[in-house]
Amino acid sequence: MPDCLFCKIVSGEVPSRKIYEDGDVLAFYDVTPQAPVHALVIPKKHIGDLNMLTDDEAGLVGHIFLVVRRLAKELNLTEGYRVVHNCGVHGGQTVAHLHFHLLGGREMLWPPG
Ligand code: 5GP
Ligand code: ZN
């Protein structure tokens, strides 16, 4: 997707602080962290959001969650963490490329607001 910020991060056109990468998934630090640890885990292929996920791509999201679990361990989030997907306008999504926030390093509040 030519005008997609996260596609540009995948290609390297926009720099990021990478944490993890494999053939299908990239994880990098959020530029505006909302917690002591705030990473974004994304598929390398462009998928707009959860509503645009196809049945064939379900395994990719499973893989992303296993990457999240691995990062939580590597980043020492021993007391727990939160995983968030903001979907669409009411979900608070601002970048239209599927991504999961990994937040940790402090106790999270609920409801999130
Ligand atoms: P959303 O609001 O769509 O759920 O999350 C988008 C996230 O992307 C936000 O937390 C925002 O801080 C982050 N973000 C926006 N632009 C950039 C950028 O250029 N680099 C990085 N690393 N994160 C970004
Ligand atoms: Zn994209």
Side-chain angles (χ1 to χ4, degrees):
M1 268 292 174
D3 285 333
C4 172
L5 173 63
F6 286 177
C7 282
K8 288 180 182 171
I9 284 180
V10 169
S11 72
E13 187 181 340
V14 170
S16 68
R17 289 173 59 214
K18 287 182 191 172
I19 312 168
Y20 171 89
E21 183 171 16
D22 63 32
D24 299 314
V25 172
L26 177 68
F28 53 96
Y29 286 106
D30 197 294
V31 79
T32 311
Q34 301 301 320
V37 172
H38 187 173
L40 299 171
V41 187
I42 72 171
K44 287 189 168 178
K45 74 182 281 194
H46 183 87
I47 300 168
D49 60 30
L50 185 57
N51 285 339
M52 296 177 196
L53 191 79
T54 66
D55 289 356
D56 289 349
E57 292 163 337
L60 178 58
V61 173
H63 176 51
I64 285 173
F65 269 77
L66 291 177
V67 169
V68 166
R69 185 178 70 180
R70 171 183 171 155
L71 294 181
K73 191 172 184 191
E74 289 178 2
L75 295 169
N76 294 314
L77 302 180
T78 52
E79 301 303 314
Y81 52 90
R82 181 171 289 175
V83 184
V84 174
H85 169 57
N86 297 323
C87 189
V89 174
H90 279 195
Q93 186 176 13
T94 59
V95 177
H97 180 127
L98 182 67
H99 54 280
F100 295 87
H101 299 256
L102 168 60
L103 297 149
R106 67 168 170 83
E107 196 165 345
M108 300 296 149
L109 302 176
W110 194 266

